[in-house]
């Protein structure tokens, strides 16, 4: 499972690294220390936290930010594989994007819960790229 630095997690969540540190210190998001003593966040934990954070923002009535270039960097929160097709969910800050693509593409890209990805939107299509 991939893990993320405090700084990278902050960029994915759309907040400052200090905010992520405060959340970690308060026990809102679990961290562990790497071999150099730096804090890191497990990808699955970051995915779950990003979904919870977006739900909180929606409950508080906060406005979501927008992307002028239609690229939404985020973290994969769910992957559902069928025999031929697959569904991938990306949480990009307060935005949840769902893409339908082939199972082969998901496997070739190594898309899994906790993996950083960029959802790109054009018209009604969402394409997922590895970050």
């Amino acid at each position: 499972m991939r893990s993320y630095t405090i700084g990278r997690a902050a960029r994915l969540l759309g907040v400052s690294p200090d905010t992520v540190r405060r959340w970690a210190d308060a026990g809102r998001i679990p961290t562990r220390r790497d071999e150099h003593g730096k804090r890191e966040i497990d990808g699955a934990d970051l995915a779950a936290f990003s979904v919870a954070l977006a739900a909180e923002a929606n409950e508080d009535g906060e406005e979501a930010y927008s992307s002028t270039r239609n690229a939404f960097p985020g973290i994969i929160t769910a992957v559902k594989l069928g025999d031929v097709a697959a569904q991938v969910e990306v949480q990009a800050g307060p935005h949840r994007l769902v893409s339908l693509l082939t199972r082969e593409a998901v496997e070739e890209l190594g898309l899994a819960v906790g993996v950083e990805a960029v959802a790109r939107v054009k018209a009604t299509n969402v394409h997922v790229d590895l970050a």
Side-chain angles (χ1 to χ4, degrees), residues 40-114:
E40 60 185 14
I41 302 168
D42 181 72
D45 291 334
L46 183 58
F49 182 75
S50 67
V51 170
L53 189 64
E56 287 175 20
N58 288 339
E59 289 172 6
D60 294 340
E62 293 178 17
E63 285 190 38
Y65 63 89
S66 65
S67 170
T68 57
R69 296 191 179 175
N70 299 326
F72 297 87
I75 188 163
I76 296 175
T77 57
V79 176
K80 298 175 186 165
L81 296 174
D83 291 339
V84 177
Q87 177 179 312
V88 176
E89 294 182 21
V90 176
Q91 189 71 42
H95 308 290
R96 176 180 162 265
L97 298 114
V98 179
S99 179
L100 300 176
L101 54 163
T102 65
R103 179 186 181 119
E104 179 182 14
V106 169
E107 291 170 347
E108 284 180 4
L109 291 170
L111 302 179
V113 171

Side-chain angles (χ1 to χ4, degrees), residues 4-28:
Y4 295 89
T5 65
I6 295 290
R8 190 66 190 150
R11 285 189 293 278
L12 291 169
L13 295 170
V15 298
S16 73
D18 285 337
T19 297
V20 175
R21 282 187 200 94
R22 283 191 295 274
W23 286 336
D25 291 343
R28 290 190 65 192

Side-chain angles (χ1 to χ4, degrees), residues 25-36:
D25 291 343
R28 290 190 65 192
I29 186 167
T31 62
R32 66 176 183 269
R33 299 279 179 174
D34 68 9
E35 63 273 4
H36 305 290

